Amino acid sequence: MTDSHQVFEIADFPLDSGDTLAPARLAYQTYGTLNAAKSNAIVYPTAFADQHPDNEWLIGQGRALDPDRYFIIVPNLFGNGLSSSPSNTPAPHDRARFPRVSFADNVRAQHRLVTEHFGIERLCLVTGWSMAASQTYQWAISYPDMVERALPFCGAPRVSQHAFLFFEGVKAALTADAAWRGGDYDTPPETGLRAFGRGYAAWGFSQAFYWQERYRDLGFDSLGEFLTGFWEQNFLGRDANDLIAMLSTGQHSDPAATPAFGGDLTRALGAIRARLISMPAEKDLYFPPEDEQWAATHIRGAEVRVIPGIWGHLAGRGINPADVAVIDDTLRELLATPVD
Amino acid sequence: MTDSHQVFEIADFPLDSGDTLAPARLAYQTYGTLNAAKSNAIVYPTAFADQHPDNEWLIGQGRALDPDRYFIIVPNLFGNGLSSSPSNTPAPHDRARFPRVSFADNVRAQHRLVTEHFGIERLCLVTGWSMAASQTYQWAISYPDMVERALPFCGAPRVSQHAFLFFEGVKAALTADAAWRGGDYDTPPETGLRAFGRGYAAWGFSQAFYWQERYRDLGFDSLGEFLTGFWEQNFLGRDANDLIAMLSTGQHSDPAATPAFGGDLTRALGAIRARLISMPAEKDLYFPPEDEQWAATHIRGAEVRVIPGIWGHLAGRGINPADVAVIDDTLRELLATPVD
């Protein structure tokens, strides 16, 4: 495990919003070695509020994402504090003035890293959790001839109206704190960050998870300790503008928002050529399996494999061994599936 | 429809918390006429943030709750701005200093109204939505020989840990606003009240409700309009201390917290003698049907009838005709069922 990383810099990077990041800095980490044929590359982006070390639970010797076999590139989501973000970008794009970045922007930058920097023309696999599932779909839609396999988990090609509202709710909680000051805080809005974590708590895991008090599996002896020690703590160290920039990416991205697809998500999904398995979690409260069942009907050959159990959205976070096993097994099966 | 009401005053009302309301004022409204035998009374309490006019959609000629046939008493929940509440109680129990009131306290006051004021010894039915479902259970537990039938809908005998967290999240959003001032505001904390509504939005209806944009049925043309015109508007006119007092009632009530039950909810449920039908909504995100299935296994003769469809928790709010019909039909069937 490491938190060192490299940075791929793009001098002028035009965004879907019309703004330009000059430069855009894409932070990434790699695991394993690119083979001579450049045929063993995997892209595995980061999710909301995560950084590349948060992805490492799924990578390792003996796992499907085995660095002895594959060259695994983990690009950091714009806004996450390592890639270009409100917290690390100078004026005029600092803080709340950081431009809106879409998943398509993220994937376009990742594509440049993969092709220009590494010279890779095909990807064995793109995979990712939650907002990285959206990036996985975006990869398969934007570069259909390049992505051989895709395994989005606990996410969706486009954030639903319901998930939009959940994001909006925690955003409203954070920004209700006057210390937020429209993003121009000098002292972090601690009350708002705590409210953000408290508002997130009931969404992250399922009703049954709490009924069974499974937070005890994570070392917490009471609901109150879990609320402060896990949920508040998870966000207290984050930059508020960064959190809101990433939420905004999730809320406003649409892979169908191009002239080719004319806003029709089914047409965007129809462009996918990758062998795709979507893995929603059975009791995910904001990316429910039914939405992924719908998406799969518009992707040729796509399958949905539900992650069973009660861990809800965080089934994809690598903290429950049974969920890790089912994701790892499915990745192994997908990677073993021949493609054209 | 009317918003006039009566008040039953109890000079000294000791609470489970150890505090005393002196006086406690229980606001209520009645519909229909008590017969000479006093055998046609129904109690139908109010839910979180509701007042008695909000219950009137279920009452009317030709409906199960027909005032031509039944004498329907609608007591207002303590904290709702009509019964004793932070907003209408003088010092030392004003504002945030209003004592914690339990569902058992509410039901004890309602019982005194029903028995002392009206001289009623048996109730045909107790019914209610959400926090009023909890009061329905509490009635059946506290006064098993008095409650002939019970129909709690979209609620639970005790708020689950998951629902506790949902309440905690919206509470944190409201109180993140510095204008909240620990409850001693002179100007309402408008930013916090809006954040409260925004945080509530994704919980109130199901994922599928938003997927299908069913807010259009309620006259809203876009998600944004629904968020401001329905959700923010619903809470902007409420008193913040009142909202928090009612949430606290929901979060901290436990019908098993008596020496007789020793904290064991199954024992409390085992005390119920009423013929009980629980009606959870199929896609209620914070009172899911599985919890009510569990509760019913501990109540003799209890049945669970799931309200089908996608309106989630607000299936019980009287705004979707199909949900109203299924609740009304089940009430009619239950009222027609003979009891010992």
Side-chain angles (χ1 to χ4, degrees):
Chain A
M1 300 295 162
T2 171
D3 61 359
S4 73
H5 61 270
Q6 294 78 45
V7 174
F8 178 70
E9 191 164 304
I10 304 172
D12 283 284
F13 188 63
L15 302 168
D16 285 345
S17 67
D19 284 309
T20 296
L21 280 176
R25 292 168 53 84
L26 181 64
Y28 67 95
Q29 183 55 287
T30 64
Y31 306 82
T33 307
L34 185 61
N35 63 17
K38 299 192 175 184
S39 64
N40 68 334
I42 290 173
V43 170
Y44 175 23
T46 64
F48 171 72
D50 277 351
Q51 299 182 342
H52 61 271
D54 298 307
N55 278 17
E56 292 177 354
W57 59 271
L58 194 55
I59 301 169
Q61 285 189 326
R63 293 198 177 278
L65 303 193
D66 189 334
D68 285 351
R69 182 161 181 190
Y70 294 106
F71 179 61
I72 303 149
I73 304 166
V74 177
N76 284 273
L77 184 66
F78 286 122
N80 83 341
L82 293 179
S83 289
S84 293
S85 301
S87 64
N88 64 19
T89 299
H93 283 148
D94 60 322
R95 302 189 181 211
R97 291 164 292 279
F98 189 74
R100 180 177 293 168
V101 182
S102 68
F103 288 132
D105 293 325
N106 273 279
V107 168
R108 202 175 330 108
Q110 293 169 20
H111 180 259
R112 291 188 60 176
L113 166 68
V114 168
T115 56
E116 297 175 17
H117 182 72
F118 290 113
I120 296 167
E121 293 178 2
R122 300 270 287 179
L123 295 170
C124 298
L125 171 74
V126 182
T127 189
W129 173 57
S130 194
M131 284 198 190
S134 300
Q135 295 168 73
T136 299
Y137 277 109
Q138 184 68 57
W139 260 103
I141 291 166
S142 296
Y143 307 105
D145 298 328
M146 185 168 176
V147 179
E148 295 177 340
R149 300 171 192 81
L151 195 149
F153 51 103
C154 308
R158 185 168 66 193
V159 164
S160 70
Q161 293 196 17
H162 180 260
F164 181 101
L165 288 182
F166 152 51
F167 294 163
E168 194 64 22
V170 288
K171 193 162 81 175
L174 199 172
T175 60
D177 183 354
W180 154 252
R181 297 186 65 228
D184 280 320
Y185 46 85
D186 293 314
T187 305
E190 183 187 321
T191 299
L193 289 165
R194 287 186 191 276
F196 190 94
R198 294 177 97 75
Y200 220 115
W203 287 111
F205 298 97
S206 76
Q207 301 95 343
F209 172 92
Y210 287 108
W211 183 277
Q212 296 180 20
E213 302 186 358
R214 294 297 292 277
Y215 46 79
R216 295 180 189 278
D217 295 11
L218 301 174
F220 296 91
D221 290 334
S222 72
L223 187 66
E225 283 176 41
F226 189 55
L227 200 45
T228 53
F230 184 92
W231 283 108
E232 290 189 1
Q233 206 55 43
N234 193 41
F235 296 106
L236 273 175
R238 317 276 178 176
D239 178 76
N241 280 308
D242 286 356
L243 290 174
I244 286 175
M246 288 182 280
L247 286 179
S248 178
T249 295
Q251 287 182 303
H252 299 288
S253 292
D254 181 359
T258 67
F261 303 128
D264 183 346
L265 185 56
T266 66
R267 288 173 61 195
L269 295 172
I272 294 175
R273 294 291 169 274
R275 170 90 180 87
L276 184 144
I277 301 178
S278 169
M279 297 191 77
E282 182 180 352
K283 287 179 176 285
D284 191 323
L285 293 179
Y286 52 103
F287 290 116
E290 66 206 67
D291 297 3
E292 289 299 278
Q293 297 284 6
W294 174 87
T297 63
H298 298 285
I299 304 168
R300 70 187 67 182
E303 264 186 87
V304 176
R305 305 267 187 97
V306 175
I307 304 169
I310 63 169
W311 285 63
H313 189 65
L314 272 77
R317 190 54 170 74
I319 53 179
N320 182 41
D323 298 329
V324 171
V326 75
I327 295 167
D328 189 51
D329 286 348
T330 310
L331 280 167
R332 182 173 290 107
E333 178 189 328
L334 180 60
L335 281 165
T337 305
V339 293
D340 301 335
Chain B
M1 299 296 162
T2 171
D3 61 359
S4 72
H5 61 270
Q6 292 78 47
V7 174
F8 177 69
E9 193 164 303
I10 303 171
D12 283 285
F13 187 64
L15 302 167
D16 284 346
S17 66
D19 285 309
T20 296
L21 282 175
R25 292 167 53 85
L26 181 65
Y28 66 96
Q29 183 55 287
T30 65
Y31 306 82
T33 307
L34 185 61
N35 63 17
K38 301 191 173 184
S39 64
N40 69 334
I42 289 172
V43 170
Y44 176 23
T46 65
F48 171 72
D50 278 352
Q51 299 180 342
H52 60 272
D54 299 307
N55 277 17
E56 291 179 354
W57 59 271
L58 195 55
I59 301 170
Q61 285 190 324
R63 293 198 177 279
L65 304 194
D66 190 333
D68 286 351
R69 183 162 180 191
Y70 294 105
F71 179 61
I72 302 148
I73 305 165
V74 178
N76 285 273
L77 185 67
F78 286 120
N80 84 339
L82 293 179
S83 289
S84 293
S85 300
S87 64
N88 65 17
T89 298
H93 284 147
D94 60 321
R95 304 188 180 210
R97 291 165 292 281
F98 190 74
R100 182 176 293 169
V101 182
S102 68
F103 288 132
D105 294 325
N106 273 277
V107 168
R108 203 175 328 108
Q110 294 169 19
H111 179 259
R112 292 189 58 175
L113 165 69
V114 167
T115 55
E116 296 174 18
H117 182 72
F118 289 114
I120 295 167
E121 294 179 1
R122 300 271 287 179
L123 295 170
C124 298
L125 172 73
V126 182
T127 189
W129 173 56
S130 194
M131 283 199 191
S134 299
Q135 295 169 75
T136 300
Y137 277 109
Q138 185 67 58
W139 260 103
I141 292 166
S142 296
Y143 306 105
D145 297 328
M146 185 168 176
V147 180
E148 294 176 343
R149 299 172 191 82
L151 195 149
F153 51 103
C154 308
R158 185 169 64 192
V159 164
S160 70
Q161 293 196 18
H162 180 261
F164 180 101
L165 288 182
F166 152 51
F167 293 163
E168 195 64 24
V170 289
K171 193 162 82 175
L174 199 172
T175 59
D177 183 355
W180 153 253
R181 299 186 63 229
D184 280 320
Y185 46 86
D186 293 315
T187 305
E190 183 185 322
T191 299
L193 289 165
R194 287 186 191 277
F196 190 94
R198 293 177 98 77
Y200 221 113
W203 288 111
F205 298 98
S206 77
Q207 301 96 342
F209 173 93
Y210 287 108
W211 183 276
Q212 296 180 20
E213 302 186 358
R214 294 297 291 278
Y215 47 79
R216 296 181 188 277
D217 296 9
L218 301 174
F220 296 91
D221 290 335
S222 72
L223 188 66
E225 285 176 39
F226 189 55
L227 201 45
T228 53
F230 184 92
W231 282 108
E232 289 189 2
Q233 206 55 45
N234 193 41
F235 295 107
L236 274 174
R238 317 275 178 176
D239 179 76
N241 280 307
D242 286 357
L243 290 174
I244 287 174
M246 288 183 282
L247 286 179
S248 177
T249 296
Q251 288 181 301
H252 299 288
S253 292
D254 181 358
T258 67
F261 304 128
D264 182 346
L265 185 56
T266 66
R267 288 174 62 195
L269 294 171
I272 294 176
R273 294 292 169 272
R275 170 91 181 87
L276 184 145
I277 301 177
S278 169
M279 297 191 76
E282 182 180 351
K283 287 179 177 286
D284 192 323
L285 293 178
Y286 51 103
F287 290 115
E290 65 206 68
D291 296 3
E292 288 299 276
Q293 297 284 5
W294 174 86
T297 62
H298 297 285
I299 304 169
R300 71 187 67 182
E303 266 187 85
V304 176
R305 304 267 187 95
V306 175
I307 304 169
I310 63 169
W311 286 63
H313 189 65
L314 271 77
R317 190 53 169 73
I319 53 179
N320 181 41
D323 298 330
V324 171
V326 75
I327 296 167
D328 188 50
D329 286 349
T330 310
L331 280 168
R332 182 173 291 106
E333 178 189 328
L334 181 60
L335 281 165
T337 305
V339 292
D340 301 334

